[in-house]
Amino acid sequence: MVRPLGFLVGLGFITALVFAIFTTPLSNEENIAHKFHEHPKHLKLASDGLLPHWDKQQLQRGMQVYKEVCSACHSLHLVAFRDIEALGYTPGQVKTFAKGFQVPSINPDTGELGDA
Ligand code: HEC
């Protein structure tokens, strides 16, 4: 009569151990990164399908999501401001966007950082 009980207790311990091993908590940074990288929904994009093309509104919506969410952690420092005109923004809108950033000035003669 005692044996099955001992077996059940042992099984309980093993279950708890397996649970603990496979559900190791992530570090804070990993948790946050995972929160923002949940499985993306499959979107119906104009760039899919038989006649793929860029939909400027969809592109600009992506830019808005980048600005409001992703830019907290990811920079666009390898993208030139002029390049975002390709998303359908006017040069004036690009200038307004660029005004929100501070970039170091580069001396045109020496190529070094600092005032000309
Ligand atoms: C809280 C900070 C944070 C935010 C906000 C964030 N990311 Fe990330 N992202 C990370 C970190 C850290 C990594 C690298 C760790 C990793 O690969 O899981 C990463 C990696 C990535 C990768 C590479 C993933 C891979 O599987 O190689 C992509 C793509 C990405 N992020 C896109 C985005 C997009 C799009 C957004 C906005 C919707 C976003 N991230 C918002 C922190 C963030």
Side-chain angles (χ1 to χ4, degrees), residues 57-111:
Q57 276 190 325
Q58 288 179 346
L59 295 175
Q60 293 183 8
R61 168 100 178 106
M63 187 62 177
Q64 187 188 347
V65 171
Y66 167 74
K67 272 198 308 194
E68 291 173 10
V69 182
C70 322
S71 66
C73 301
H74 297 283
S75 92
L76 279 184
H77 71 283
L78 297 177
V79 177
F81 287 119
R82 63 180 173 277
D83 292 338
I84 70 165
E85 268 184 49
L87 303 181
Y89 295 107
T90 63
Q93 288 172 314
V94 173
K95 276 189 185 154
T96 307
F97 178 71
K99 272 187 191 153
F101 293 83
Q102 267 209 318
V103 289
S105 57
I106 296 174
N107 185 321
D109 300 326
T110 64

Side-chain angles (χ1 to χ4, degrees), residues 14-35:
I14 290 170
T15 309
L17 186 71
V18 168
F19 184 76
I21 289 171
F22 289 105
T23 58
T24 312
L26 300 166
S27 76
N28 226 7
E29 190 181 314
E30 282 173 317
N31 271 333
I32 294 166
H34 278 258
K35 186 172 161 43

